[in-house]
Amino acid sequence: MTALARWCLRRRIVVIVLWLAAFAGVAVAAGVTGAAYSNNYEVPGTESGQASARMAKAFPERSGDSDTLVWHTDSGTVRSAAVKKTMRHTLEKIAALPGVSEVESPYGRHADGAGARQISKDGHTAYASVLFDRRTDDLDVDQVQKVVDTAQTASRPGLQVELGGAGIALTEAPRAQLPEIIGLCAAAVVLFLAFGSLAATFLPIITALAAVGTASAGITLLSHAMTVADFAPMLGMLIGLGVGIDYALFIVTRHRKGLREGLPVDEAATRAVAVSGRAVVFAGATVCIALLGMLILRLSFLNGVALAASLTVVLTVAAAVTLLPALLGLIGMRALSRRERRRLAEQGPRPERTTGIAARWSGFVERHPKLLGTVAAAVMLALALPAFGLHLGTSDQGNNPATSTTRKAYDLLAGDGRGSGFGPGSNGPLTLVGTLDGAKDRIAFDALPDRLRDTPGVARVSRPVFDGGHSTGVITVVPTSSPQSRQTSDLVERLRTEVLPEAGGAATLRVQVGGITASYDDFASLIVGKLPLFIGVVIALGSVLLLLAFRSIGIPLKAALMNVAAVASSFGIVVAVFQWGWGSEMLGLGSAGPIEPFLPVIMVSVLFGLSMDYQVFLVSRMYEEWQLTHNNRRAVRVGLAETSRVINSAAVIMIAVFGAFVLSGDRIIAMFGIGLAAAVALDAFVLRTLLVPALMHLLGGANWWLPSWLDRWLPRISIEPPPEPGAVRLPGPQDGEKPLVRA
């Protein structure tokens, strides 16, 4: 690290130009190729995945995205001459738009035909299916927007026109600029309060933006090579801005300390990277290991998210140990405020003492470890209680903000249950795909709708539709419940295990349940089944890293326990806000609904990595003092006093950045924002400043115990370099000792 820092300082202009060139090159390449994001939840080995593949092969003309245009009249019916004229003209214009392959209208058919089923019983609501010529992931947003604009020109007093579906949702995609700006402004305020220097304030922000900007363009290129979810760039931005600013903060803080002690600029920057840079690399490695733990789930949807987020973290670490020292050398002594530079010139370098609130709080924790530890544990347990009611499922457009056209279309289709609309299940019908081999199979499949109509939970069943060779048949089943409800999941299970196996009789008929709702259920079941293995692997890998770094059994065990506590408590807050709906509408995040099935996996990865960061920065200072004095009380007190201010500043920055993404307008990103902000707040202000030091005071020397045979066997790695020669101690008021001061 020392050699790298010196090289970057000597060639600071070259380093800055290389970063600018890398950013420009990747950004241009991403702009030329465009994005190819995909939110495909289907897993090929599952039943819904097999049904989808069979459908695509048998009915290629239906492989495009299908969306819904809904209109509603308050007075009169949709069959009135005026409404018919308006909507027929509108549907004809939409059918002629680029990208639209077909529009299925409820008008122009016989009353007993398919069109009649597209008008509600009370006659106040109707819908048309708009079929695009490409799948959702390949749609041109501008073409979809033209469909939305054309449809909404038909709205007038007494006639409401709304649109819903996955393709229409592309026009409501969130924009990250506002959360970015708010988060960066909040981070700048915190940094200026901490440093008092504009130059030092903007260094962490510039470093993080360079890394995140390059990573964001890189994720766009990555989307062409593998499946990458459309929220991956914003998630990477959220994580990258948080950890990137924090990593730079730790190095700049150490650099400023060196300057105040009288070191030349280059020497102070070199020591800052050599000392804090090691911890940054170690912390970044733990975040990446936790994120890459998602690869063991072997789900292409999550593989892309894991690699995208890891790429962002790797680049933030690289920027912190290369670009940042170059910028530190560029600004020179301006890393200190004017008052600090004036004091240094007038009084010369002076050794720093840990005083103020941080020292007093550290002493208070030392005197009352049992009381404070109990209070902290009670707070974490209380916040974790809602997590026991966690319901994993996929939210739909019924959870969108009430002002969005997709939410309004969803509500119009669902109706009020008294003849208005088509029932809640119309927003997520099930697709039954039959593989037919011979006349007996076709006869059995033809008779299947009669059996399905008598099944509890089924509202409507369509007539069978066959492909040209009559080797594949399709039946659409509309449940009585909404797509995200437990009753719909129960219906899918009932069809698969009871109804369909008995329907074939003596025939060889094989029917699979597919559709978006079934694919969500299969995806959630697969993740839940692998979640224990995933969490175990992430905890084990993190514990091994801490074991190697701190040569202690107790430190990794406490870290694992604290990480689990932070994850559980943050999930409790997420459940209260999003599943119970406490304040979700007020925040513009839509109505209450289930928690996305992939959220636990991604949040566990990110939170374990971020929690490990604070563990490393806090305990590494304690470990350094323990090695010097073998006095546990002093090591814990000094470590907490000397790191709490920078950890708290870093936490406030992360909370501001993560919290700002609640304003993104995207429910999934808002879940991550609230969950991560809550976890960081609890981790920094409850766990690291209360529970961890309290437990370490209570355990005493057992914190650092390691069996001698294991000590001989383990390889040695070091986060902190050895103390420089000439280190001296200054007397202090508490026990005759103060933290180490560099000579």
Side-chain angles (χ1 to χ4, degrees):
M1 294 299 296
T2 301
L4 176 64
R6 286 175 177 163
W7 188 91
C8 293
L9 283 162
R10 285 197 302 268
R11 297 169 176 81
R12 59 194 65 168
I13 301 300
V14 173
V15 172
I16 294 171
V17 170
L18 286 176
W19 269 98
L20 289 174
F23 170 72
V26 179
V28 169
V32 171
T33 60
Y37 301 119
S38 172
N39 282 348
N40 185 8
Y41 291 91
E42 291 177 357
V43 183
T46 61
E47 183 171 328
S48 60
Q50 294 170 355
S52 176
R54 182 81 185 180
M55 269 282 290
K57 183 178 180 181
F59 301 94
E61 71 279 2
R62 296 190 178 188
S63 60
D65 176 79
S66 180
D67 292 72
T68 307
L69 190 155
V70 190
W71 58 98
H72 175 80
T73 59
D74 295 324
S75 60
T77 72
V78 294
R79 293 185 177 92
S80 68
V83 173
K84 273 189 177 182
K85 181 180 179 181
T86 300
M87 294 312 302
R88 275 178 172 168
H89 179 63
T90 301
L91 295 177
E92 288 171 0
K93 290 201 308 187
I94 291 174
L97 290 174
V100 178
S101 63
E102 184 183 356
V103 175
E104 296 179 359
S105 169
Y107 302 131
R109 302 183 182 185
H110 297 294
D112 59 348
R117 293 195 296 271
Q118 293 174 233
I119 299 177
S120 63
K121 290 180 181 179
D122 64 0
H124 287 294
T125 307
Y127 72 89
S129 295
V130 179
L131 186 66
F132 290 95
D133 58 6
R134 282 171 285 178
R135 294 174 62 89
T136 304
D137 297 333
D138 301 321
L139 286 176
D140 185 332
V141 178
D142 292 334
Q143 291 181 349
V144 179
Q145 186 63 54
K146 288 180 181 178
V147 172
V148 175
D149 295 340
T150 303
Q152 291 186 337
T153 57
S155 293
R156 54 181 170 77
L159 178 61
Q160 180 184 2
V161 181
E162 307 293 348
L163 299 97
I168 302 301
L170 296 175
T171 64
E172 298 177 338
R175 300 291 181 260
Q177 285 79 3
L178 178 61
E180 283 181 28
I181 293 171
I182 293 175
L184 290 174
C185 289
V189 171
V190 176
L191 289 170
F192 184 74
L193 292 176
F195 295 153
S197 163
L198 281 176
T201 294
F202 286 112
L203 284 191
I205 295 176
I206 292 172
T207 304
L209 285 177
V212 170
T214 307
S216 182
I219 293 171
T220 301
L221 297 177
L222 184 66
S223 68
H224 292 277
M226 62 189 305
T227 301
V228 179
D230 62 358
F231 63 83
M234 196 176 290
L235 177 64
M237 198 176 302
L238 184 151
I239 298 170
L241 288 177
V243 301
I245 294 175
D246 276 8
Y247 291 166
L249 167 66
F250 291 123
I251 293 176
V252 173
T253 300
R254 182 74 71 140
H255 172 70
R256 283 165 42 83
K257 180 181 178 182
L259 292 179
R260 289 194 298 268
E261 292 176 352
L263 295 177
V265 171
D266 284 8
E267 184 62 25
T270 300
R271 289 195 182 183
V273 175
V275 178
S276 295
R278 289 179 180 226
V280 164
V281 171
F282 187 86
T286 60
V287 176
C288 289
I289 288 172
L291 289 168
L292 294 176
M294 285 189 274
L295 297 179
I296 67 172
L297 298 176
R298 302 180 68 180
L299 295 173
S300 60
F301 179 81
L302 292 179
N303 290 348
V305 175
L307 290 177
S310 297
L311 172 65
T312 307
V313 174
V314 167
L315 288 177
T316 58
V317 172
V321 297
T322 58
L323 178 60
L324 182 58
L327 293 174
L328 288 173
L330 197 64
I331 68 170
M333 292 298 294
R334 284 175 293 171
L336 298 178
S337 66
R338 290 182 180 179
R339 185 177 60 180
E340 289 173 320
R341 295 199 300 269
R342 186 167 55 251
R343 181 187 303 159
L344 185 64
E346 293 173 355
Q347 303 176 7
R350 300 176 63 186
E352 295 189 11
R353 299 173 180 268
T354 303
T355 58
I357 296 176
R360 290 195 295 272
W361 175 257
S362 182
F364 182 69
V365 174
E366 181 183 8
R367 293 190 298 272
H368 307 284
K370 292 182 180 179
L371 173 63
L372 296 177
T374 302
V375 170
V379 169
M380 299 300 291
L381 179 60
L383 293 175
L385 288 177
F388 290 100
L390 176 67
H391 168 45
L392 294 180
T394 302
S395 57
D396 51 37
Q397 293 180 349
N399 300 113
N400 287 358
T403 56
S404 64
T405 186
T406 50
R407 168 70 178 275
K408 292 175 182 177
Y410 184 100
D411 292 341
L412 289 175
L413 280 176
D416 58 10
R418 297 191 298 272
S420 174
F422 304 88
S426 60
N427 285 293
L430 304 176
T431 305
L432 274 56
V433 183
T435 303
L436 315 178
D437 185 14
K440 285 186 177 180
D441 286 359
R442 287 191 286 274
I443 293 172
F445 196 76
D446 255 331
L448 185 56
D450 294 331
R451 179 185 290 267
L452 291 170
R453 290 189 185 96
D454 298 329
T455 302
V458 173
R460 297 189 305 279
V461 183
S462 72
R463 292 194 297 269
V465 177
F466 300 95
D467 67 341
H470 278 70
S471 61
T472 302
V474 176
I475 295 173
T476 301
V477 175
V478 178
T480 57
S481 50
S482 65
Q484 61 184 245
S485 71
R486 295 182 188 269
Q487 289 84 352
T488 304
S489 299
D490 293 339
L491 175 61
V492 172
E493 184 66 19
R494 190 181 307 118
L495 291 174
R496 287 175 172 176
T497 59
E498 300 175 13
V499 179
L500 297 178
E502 298 173 359
T508 58
L509 175 66
R510 187 166 64 94
V511 183
Q512 295 170 312
V513 181
I516 190 67
T517 304
S519 67
Y520 287 163
D521 284 349
D522 290 344
F523 185 71
S525 298
L526 196 62
I527 286 182
V528 170
K530 294 183 177 182
L531 195 57
L533 171 64
F534 168 73
I535 293 176
V537 168
V538 171
I539 291 177
L541 290 175
S543 298
V544 168
L545 283 174
L546 290 180
L547 175 65
L548 295 175
F550 299 116
R551 319 214 46 95
S552 160
I553 298 292
I555 298 299
L557 291 178
K558 282 197 295 294
L561 181 63
M562 296 303 105
N563 291 347
V564 170
V567 169
S569 298
S570 64
F571 267 116
I573 294 173
V574 169
V575 167
V577 174
F578 292 94
Q579 187 176 311
W580 296 355
W582 290 5
S584 59
E585 287 282 11
M586 183 179 64
L587 293 171
L589 304 175
S591 62
I595 305 302
E596 301 294 330
F598 53 80
L599 189 81
V601 174
I602 299 176
M603 276 193 60
V604 165
S605 298
V606 176
L607 291 180
F608 266 72
L610 296 182
S611 295
M612 206 70 77
D613 285 358
Y614 290 143
Q615 181 77 1
V616 167
F617 289 119
L618 173 64
V619 179
S620 61
R621 183 63 188 93
M622 294 179 179
Y623 184 57
E624 179 185 8
E625 196 66 24
W626 166 258
Q627 288 183 309
L628 290 171
T629 66
H630 286 278
N631 182 330
N632 180 74
R633 293 184 63 183
R634 174 184 169 79
V636 175
R637 185 182 69 250
V638 168
L640 178 60
E642 293 194 0
T643 61
S644 60
R645 181 178 178 182
V646 67
I647 287 178
N648 291 341
S649 298
V652 170
I653 291 172
M654 272 200 185
I655 293 166
V657 171
F658 293 158
F661 277 79
V662 175
L663 304 175
S664 67
D666 184 272
R667 180 181 174 87
I668 294 174
I669 292 298
M671 282 188 186
F672 285 120
I674 288 180
L676 293 175
V680 169
L682 293 171
D683 198 307
F685 301 118
V686 179
L687 295 181
R688 305 303 161 188
T689 59
L690 273 175
L691 193 52
V692 169
L695 286 176
M696 294 188 74
H697 277 303
L698 291 173
L699 291 174
N703 287 305
W704 316 103
W705 177 77
L706 183 70
S708 56
W709 62 268
L710 187 58
D711 185 49
R712 291 192 299 269
W713 181 78
L714 289 176
R716 294 185 177 275
I717 63 173
S718 174
I719 298 177
E720 294 275 1
E724 299 93 4
V728 297
R729 296 188 179 281
L730 296 177
Q734 294 186 10
D735 61 356
E737 294 179 314
K738 285 299 288 182
L740 187 67
V741 177
R742 309 301 180 192

